[in-house]
C-alpha cells in the first residue's frame, strides 16, 4: 500500500495528530462534540485547517436526524469563514460510520405526515431533498474537504465521502452501498456521484445492486480513495499534512480550482473552458499571483507567503 508520508516524517506527523486530538478535547471537557453541536467535534490542528470529527462513537457514528442538520449548519459556516482554508473530516471511535441511524430516522421515512397520498409524498420528498443537502453542502463548500475513513463506511457514509474532494483510508477500511439490503435505493448521492468517482459503471452497478463490501485495496485500485495508510493515526497525520499544504496556497487559487473542477465535471469541455475564462478574467488580478511568483523565483515554500484572508 502507498502512504502519503515518508518514514522520516512519521514521528513528526504522529505528534501533529496527537496535538490535533488535544485540540478537540480542549473544545469540550468530555472530549466529545463541540457546542453548539452534539454530533460533531471541531478543532484546528494547523493554521487555516479545520478538523471536523463525526462524534457518536457509542452509536458507531450512525447518522441521526441531528447529524443531518448540524452538517449543513457547520459547513455553511465554514464556507464563509476566512480562517478556514481546508477541512479534514473523520469519524471518532472504531468505525467511520455505520450509516443511517434507522431507529432514529424511522418516523421521518415511515410517517411523513399528510392527509392523503399526494401530501404524504410531498412531505417525504421535502425530507429527502433536505437529507441530500447534508452532503451537497460538502461539495458546494469552496474549501477543499479531505475525508479520512477507517473501519467501516456503510450506506450513507458512501454518499458522504463521494461528495468530498480527497478520500483517504486505512488498510482495514471497507465500504458498502448498503441500501438495497434495507429495502430502498440510495437517495442522497451515491448513485449520482459514485459513477463519476470510480468511472466503471459495471463496478458501481455491482456494488449498488449486491451490497457487497469493497475493501481498501480495491477502493484504491478503482479510484474511490487516493491513498491507503497502515492505521488511523498515520492516516490522520497524512490528512492534516495534506490539508495544511492546501491551506498554505493562495485561497483565491485553491477555492477557484475546486469550483472549476466541479463545474467541469458536470459540463462539456467547451462550456468549462468558457466558464474558466470568465472566472480568471477577474481572479488573475489578485495580488496572490505576484506573491506566489515571487516566492517561486526565490525558491521559497508557499508556507512562507502571507496571503490575505478571503
Amino acid at each position: 500500500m502507498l502512504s502519503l508520508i515518508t518514514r522520516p516524517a512519521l514521528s513528526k506527523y504522529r505528534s501533529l495528530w496527537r496535538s490535533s486530538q488535544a485540540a478537540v478535547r480542549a473544545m469540550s471537557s468530555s472530549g466529545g462534540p463541540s457546542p453548539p453541536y452534539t454530533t460533531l467535534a471541531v478543532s484546528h490542528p494547523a493554521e487555516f485547517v479545520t478538523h471536523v470529527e463525526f462524534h457518536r462513537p457509542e452509536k458507531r457514528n450512525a447518522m441521526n436526524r441531528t447529524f443531518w442538520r448540524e452538517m449543513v449548519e457547520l459547513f455553511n459556516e465554514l464556507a464563509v469563514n476566512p480562517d478556514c482554508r481546508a477541512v479534514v473530516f473523520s469519524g471518532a471511535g472504531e468505525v467511520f460510520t455505520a450509516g443511517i441511524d434507522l431507529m432514529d430516522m424511522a418516523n421521518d421515512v415511515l410517517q411523513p405526515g399528510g392527509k392523503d397520498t399526494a401530501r404524504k409524498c410531498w412531505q417525504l420528498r421535502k425530507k429527502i431533498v433536505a437529507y441530500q443537502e447534508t452532503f451537497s453542502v460538502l461539495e458546494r463548500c469552496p474549501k477543499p474537504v479531505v475525508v479520512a475513513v477507517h473501519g467501516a463506511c456503510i450506506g450513507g457514509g458512501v454518499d458522504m465521502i463521494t461528495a468530498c474532494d480527497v478520500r483517504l483510508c486505512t488498510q482495514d477500511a471497507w465500504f458498502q452501498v448498503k441500501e438495497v439490503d434495507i429495502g430502498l435505493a440510495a437517495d442522497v448521492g451515491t448513485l449520482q456521484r459514485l459513477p463519476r468517482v470510480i468511472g466503471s459503471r459495471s463496478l458501481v452497478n455491482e456494488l449498488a445492486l449486491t451490497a457487497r463490501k469493497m475493501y481498501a485495496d480495491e477502493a484504491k485500485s478503482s479510484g474511490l480513495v487516493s491513498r491507503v495508510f497502515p492505521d488511523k493515526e498515520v492516516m490522520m497525520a497524512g490528512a492534516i499534512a495534506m490539508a495544511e499544504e492546501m491551506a498554505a496556497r493562495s485561497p483565491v487559487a485553491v477555492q477557484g480550482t475546486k469550483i472549476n473542477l466541479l463545474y467541469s465535471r458536470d459540463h462539456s469541455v467547451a462550456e468549462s473552458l468558457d466558464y474558466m475564462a470568465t472566472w480568471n478574467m477577474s481572479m488573475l488580478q489578485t495580488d496572490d499571483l505576484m506573491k506566489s511568483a515571487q516566492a517561486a523565483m526565490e525558491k521559497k515554500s508557499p508556507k512562507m507567503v502571507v496571503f490575505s484572508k478571503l
Side-chain angles (χ1 to χ4, degrees), residues 155-279:
V158 180
D159 292 281
M160 177 184 174
I161 68 170
T162 55
C164 296
D165 302 297
V166 179
R167 291 168 293 279
L168 313 175
C169 77
T170 56
Q171 286 180 340
D172 68 346
W174 52 274
F175 307 82
Q176 186 176 26
V177 183
K178 183 71 171 174
E179 283 79 358
V180 293
D181 276 355
I182 58 174
L184 58 89
D187 56 6
V188 290
T190 289
L191 303 184
Q192 293 71 38
R193 296 188 177 99
L194 189 59
R196 298 172 184 271
V197 170
I198 290 180
S200 168
R201 278 281 177 176
S202 178
L203 179 55
V204 171
N205 293 348
E206 177 191 343
L207 294 170
L209 295 170
T210 67
R212 76 165 176 85
K213 296 178 181 179
M214 172 188 274
Y215 293 92
D217 56 347
E218 186 181 6
K220 185 174 186 304
S221 65
S222 69
L224 179 59
V225 301
S226 55
R227 302 270 183 173
V228 178
F229 294 83
D231 56 49
K232 183 179 179 181
E233 183 178 4
V234 179
M235 176 182 65
M236 292 307 306
I240 292 170
M242 180 183 291
E244 194 172 7
E245 290 295 329
M246 295 173 180
R249 270 66 182 178
S250 158
V252 173
V254 171
Q255 293 177 44
T257 296
K258 173 173 178 173
I259 290 168
N260 278 275
L261 281 170
L262 286 170
Y263 189 92
S264 68
R265 183 196 67 183
D266 300 328
H267 296 78
S268 70
V269 172
E271 290 171 324
S272 299
L273 286 170
D274 184 65
Y275 187 82
M276 186 76 250
T278 303
W279 182 272

Side-chain angles (χ1 to χ4, degrees), residues 76-150:
N76 278 338
E77 190 278 324
L78 293 177
V80 296
N81 185 343
D83 291 316
C84 173
R85 295 183 184 176
V87 182
V88 174
F89 191 97
S90 67
E94 297 181 358
V95 301
F96 178 72
T97 178
I100 294 173
D101 188 332
L102 292 174
M103 297 299 292
D104 184 78
M105 303 283 289
N107 286 341
D108 274 6
V109 176
L110 300 178
Q111 299 178 1
K115 293 184 178 181
D116 59 20
T117 301
R119 286 167 176 80
K120 290 178 180 178
C121 291
W122 193 265
Q123 293 303 317
L124 185 54
R125 186 182 190 281
K126 285 173 61 179
K127 293 180 186 295
I128 294 171
V129 170
Y131 294 146
Q132 290 174 342
E133 178 68 6
T134 296
F135 302 142
S136 293
V137 75
L138 295 168
E139 197 170 69
R140 196 167 57 250
C141 175
K143 320 303 172 60
V145 181
V146 179
V147 64
V149 179
H150 73 289

Side-chain angles (χ1 to χ4, degrees), residues 33-51:
S34 306
Y37 305 107
T38 61
T39 66
L40 304 170
V42 183
S43 62
H44 307 282
E47 187 176 18
F48 297 120
V49 174
T50 300
H51 176 209

